[in-house]
Amino acid sequence: MDMLIILFLLTSAALPLASPDPNDEACLTHVSQTLKDPLKNLQNWTKPNFANPCNGFTSYLPGATCNNGRIYKLSLTNLSLQGSISPFLSNCTNLQSLDLSSNSISGPIPQELQYLLNLAVLNLSSNQLEGVIPPQITLCAYLNVIDLHDNLLTGQIPQQLGFLSRLSAFDVSYNKLSGPIPASLGNRSGNQPSFNVTSFEGNKDLYGYPLPPMKSKGLSVLAIVGIGLGSGLASLVLSFTGVCIWLKIRDEKMSAEEGKMSHPMPDY
């Protein structure tokens, strides 16, 4: 038995560690270029470490977690980071969790995140992100957490998000979203978890279950009828007045003509 254990340890030690992945290097390089770090929380994020960020399951970069030599988790939360999210983040193809919450990151959510096919957690909450929610992220079929609350996102919630069968946590509250809440999110069927008001509140132009229905921005039916009747009555009065004036003018002209004809014909 002891010999078997020793043989196993020797064999394990002889196995080579996973070599650095050039995609991870490109990903980390571009992320560091687009993010600004005024408090110098990412001092170890340097080019030599980008080329070899992992040693097996150990990461040389704060906020990064490795799995067999590849970056599989980035958690850069509450670091006062600024700048924008690089579309080259999609090069970290083994990434399963991305958490950039509670910073001051601005700009759009890159649609290139769709290439993170293993992504299960996407948390970009409490930033200053603008633009629309890219519908392409629904290609990340393993997503079970999408947290985008407390940003400046606009437009409608993509219908396709409701088709993510693994989605168990969803929050887009306190943005500037508008339009209807997709039924596939607000009223899910089967064993899929439903999302309540807290997932959608704070968007004044968003409506539909579980929020109240769309508020009518136009006039009420009674008001419209009243305006119609008022306009019709005004038109009738104006028309009647016009007819009266026309009749009076006609009568005056006819009287003048009759006055001319009543003079005696001269003798020749």
Side-chain angles (χ1 to χ4, degrees):
M1 180 62 72
D2 291 340
M3 289 297 296
L4 289 175
I5 294 174
I6 293 172
L7 182 61
F8 173 77
L9 292 174
L10 290 174
T11 305
S12 299
L15 290 175
L17 294 174
S19 59
D21 191 284
N23 287 326
D24 282 357
E25 180 181 0
C27 165
L28 297 169
T29 300
H30 285 93
V31 167
S32 68
Q33 290 173 349
T34 58
L35 289 179
K36 298 178 181 178
D37 179 24
L39 300 184
K40 306 301 179 184
N41 289 307
L42 304 178
Q43 291 187 7
N44 286 353
W45 281 57
T46 57
K47 190 170 182 179
N49 285 335
F50 297 155
N52 189 22
C54 300
N55 181 14
F57 293 90
T58 303
S59 170
Y60 299 122
L61 302 174
T65 305
C66 296
N67 182 8
N68 196 26
R70 294 293 309 276
I71 298 291
Y72 92 100
K73 182 178 181 180
L74 279 178
S75 181
L76 305 176
T77 66
N78 199 24
L79 297 176
S80 299
L81 299 177
Q82 302 172 2
S84 60
I85 301 174
S86 172
F88 288 93
L89 189 58
S90 60
N91 282 36
C92 286
T93 53
N94 204 47
L95 200 64
Q96 297 179 29
S97 177
L98 175 62
D99 189 348
L100 302 177
S101 61
S102 301
N103 287 292
S104 298
I105 302 172
S106 57
I109 299 174
Q111 65 179 27
E112 286 81 2
L113 295 184
Q114 65 181 298
Y115 299 116
L116 298 175
L117 300 181
N118 296 308
L119 194 65
V121 176
L122 177 63
N123 188 351
L124 306 177
S125 63
S126 299
N127 280 288
Q128 299 172 16
L129 296 172
E130 302 170 324
V132 301
I133 301 173
Q136 293 88 347
I137 64 174
T138 55
L139 293 177
C140 304
Y142 292 105
L143 273 172
N144 58 66
V145 174
I146 297 178
D147 191 351
L148 306 175
H149 82 266
D150 196 15
N151 277 288
L152 303 172
L153 299 172
T154 56
Q156 297 190 5
I157 300 174
Q159 296 275 348
Q160 299 94 318
L161 292 181
F163 303 139
L164 290 168
S165 59
R166 299 171 183 260
L167 194 62
S168 59
F170 181 77
D171 193 347
V172 292
S173 60
Y174 297 99
N175 278 281
K176 297 183 178 180
L177 298 171
S178 59
I181 296 174
S184 52
L185 283 172
N187 190 17
R188 307 187 92 193
S189 59
N191 296 324
Q192 294 179 318
S194 298
F195 307 119
N196 58 27
V197 172
T198 58
S199 294
F200 306 100
E201 64 186 356
N203 296 279
K204 68 175 184 178
D205 293 323
L206 201 61
Y207 60 88
Y209 187 84
L211 294 180
M214 180 176 60
K215 296 179 181 178
S216 176
K217 294 184 179 180
L219 298 170
S220 66
V221 174
L222 290 176
I224 294 172
V225 172
I227 291 173
L229 290 175
S231 300
L233 182 60
S235 299
L236 184 61
V237 170
L238 289 174
S239 299
F240 180 74
T241 303
V243 171
C244 291
I245 293 173
W246 178 79
L247 288 173
K248 184 177 180 181
I249 293 173
R250 190 195 67 173
D251 290 343
E252 289 177 351
K253 289 179 68 176
M254 289 180 65
S255 297
E257 292 294 331
E258 289 176 357
K260 291 179 182 179
M261 293 180 63
S262 62
H263 294 163
M265 296 292 292
D267 295 329
Y268 292 101

